[in-house]
Amino acid sequence: MKITFRSYAESDFLKVRDFLIDTQTKLGRPNCWAIDRWEFLDFFQEVGQASSKQRWQDRIGLWEYSNGDIAAVACDDGNAFFLLDTLEPATELINEMFQYAEEYLLKFDSGVSSNHLEIVTGMTTVEQVAMSRGYVREEWSNPTLSISMDREFKVTLPDGFALQCGSKVDDLCKAMGHIMAFDYADSPSAELTLKNYGNIKNAPDYNPELDLCIINESGEVVSFCGIWLDEVNQVAILEPVGTHKDYRRRGLGKTVIYEGFNRLKGLGVVKVYVGSDQPFYRRIGFEPEFTTHSWRKHME
């Protein structure tokens, strides 16, 4: 079936979201991005600055089959990404996507890309095209971890703390929890977070019952876990997750995540993913499922 390119329009948001769900169905796992990253970017990360969301959308490229179904998406989140529903795409399509990335998504300094193209390890066609076009694989990689919901998850909440869902917690409190967990207080980014964090509630797959927070006696959010549910595939993704820098190593992160797991089990979820390889996740039961490597363009 013929594949043609067109620019992304805001009305394509749900179409791409559904494409990512279909990708999970076809492959049995995400391929690069899942719905969490797509929705978090559109409704929180890129909405914060004037025109930022529009600039992000303007850089997205779509490739469609003649029947209108999506064949591929090229987009960025600092680095460039190809969203595909197959591990072995056609070489012609991939070359078009590389050309697009080099024109719109990658930044070059003295003949070398200052950002990267992220490629899922084992996608041999994409890797071969990358090498033929002068890309070099960097040492850095980013594993995606997963955990099956076929076990018990004991929730133990220490004295002096309470667990609340998203509808019970003020947006500013959640924003401050995010700022303190990732240690960027008094920065321009913190100002944007305080202003825009509540916008994530407008995302189509946001569920306040899966937006979980642990609150201390002063009403501060000290640990949190956002969960995105793909009901079609009975899987979920954690994004974002964090614990206030002054409240770590008390079991709060594990507690809020395990509470989320128990709620997901009640919804029939069979597996949960997280896009991080922090040792913490392995300690609570996650295991690597696939890896993305960074590739940098070196021009002749």
Side-chain angles (χ1 to χ4, degrees):
M1 196 179 299
K2 184 179 179 181
I3 298 175
T4 57
F5 169 83
R6 70 173 175 86
S7 297
Y8 176 84
E10 189 168 9
S11 58
D12 293 315
F13 177 82
L14 289 177
K15 187 173 183 177
V16 175
R17 189 278 307 265
D18 292 344
F19 171 73
L20 296 175
I21 292 173
D22 291 343
T23 296
Q24 172 78 37
T25 303
K26 291 179 180 178
L27 299 180
R29 65 164 176 80
N31 186 9
C32 202
W33 284 17
I35 61 173
D36 63 309
R37 196 166 194 170
W38 179 250
E39 297 192 28
F40 195 77
L41 274 166
D42 196 280
F43 283 89
F44 170 62
Q45 184 167 318
E46 296 300 331
V47 78
Q49 304 181 52
S51 303
S52 176
K53 181 173 178 177
Q54 185 62 54
R55 289 196 303 270
W56 177 67
Q57 291 176 337
D58 288 345
R59 294 193 300 271
I60 300 170
L62 298 183
W63 284 260
E64 292 180 326
Y65 296 109
S66 54
N67 65 0
D69 290 345
I70 293 178
V73 181
C75 55
D76 72 323
D77 178 10
N79 292 333
F81 295 85
F82 295 162
L83 313 185
L84 299 151
D85 64 358
T86 174
L87 298 178
E88 290 299 335
T91 301
E92 180 180 0
L93 169 63
I94 295 305
N95 268 305
E96 286 188 24
M97 296 183 76
F98 271 92
Q99 186 64 37
Y100 183 86
E102 289 164 12
E103 290 183 22
Y104 298 102
L105 304 178
L106 295 175
K107 304 169 187 176
F108 292 94
D109 182 17
S110 301
V112 178
S113 59
S114 55
N115 57 342
H116 297 88
L117 176 67
E118 304 292 336
I119 301 175
V120 176
T121 303
M123 296 186 68
T124 55
T125 299
V126 183
E127 292 174 331
Q128 288 168 1
V129 172
M131 288 185 286
S132 73
R133 298 179 70 100
Y135 288 77
V136 175
R137 195 174 87 167
E138 303 286 297
E139 289 297 320
W140 185 88
S141 62
N142 183 37
T144 293
L145 311 184
S146 66
I147 185 171
S148 296
M149 297 290 98
D150 57 357
R151 51 177 279 198
E152 296 298 316
F153 298 102
K154 185 178 180 180
V155 173
T156 304
L157 189 64
D159 292 340
F161 298 94
L163 200 149
Q164 299 282 2
C165 66
S167 59
K168 304 293 185 181
V169 182
D170 181 78
D171 289 336
L172 286 177
C173 290
K174 287 191 282 187
M176 279 304 304
H178 191 278
I179 291 166
M180 299 307 294
F182 296 103
D183 198 16
Y184 61 102
D186 301 319
S187 69
S189 294
E191 293 179 17
L192 292 172
T193 296
L194 290 168
K195 180 180 178 181
N196 297 294
Y197 199 84
N199 194 63
I200 195 64
K201 294 185 297 187
N202 298 319
D205 290 298
Y206 173 82
N207 182 340
E209 296 300 316
L210 298 176
D211 177 16
L212 303 174
C213 302
I214 292 178
I215 312 297
N216 66 10
E217 292 177 325
S218 299
E220 298 172 304
V221 172
V222 295
S223 192
F224 56 88
C225 174
I227 303 175
W228 301 85
L229 174 61
D230 174 353
E231 294 182 273
V232 173
N233 294 292
Q234 296 182 300
V235 300
I237 311 97
L238 306 185
E239 174 65 36
V241 180
T243 298
H244 190 300
K245 62 180 182 177
D246 296 334
Y247 287 82
R248 292 172 185 161
R249 301 193 178 278
R250 303 191 193 186
L252 299 178
K254 178 180 177 179
T255 295
V256 73
I257 290 173
Y258 276 11
E259 171 66 21
F261 287 172
N262 288 329
R263 295 186 181 205
L264 291 170
K265 287 176 68 175
L267 296 171
V269 169
V270 298
K271 183 181 284 190
V272 178
Y273 294 92
V274 66
S276 173
D277 195 28
Q278 292 186 33
F280 162 76
Y281 291 110
R282 300 203 189 205
R283 289 197 298 269
I284 67 172
F286 281 89
E287 296 180 351
E289 183 157 332
F290 65 93
T291 301
T292 302
H293 262 93
S294 295
W295 292 69
R296 177 171 284 174
K297 172 84 170 188
H298 291 252
M299 291 184 173
E300 295 289 336

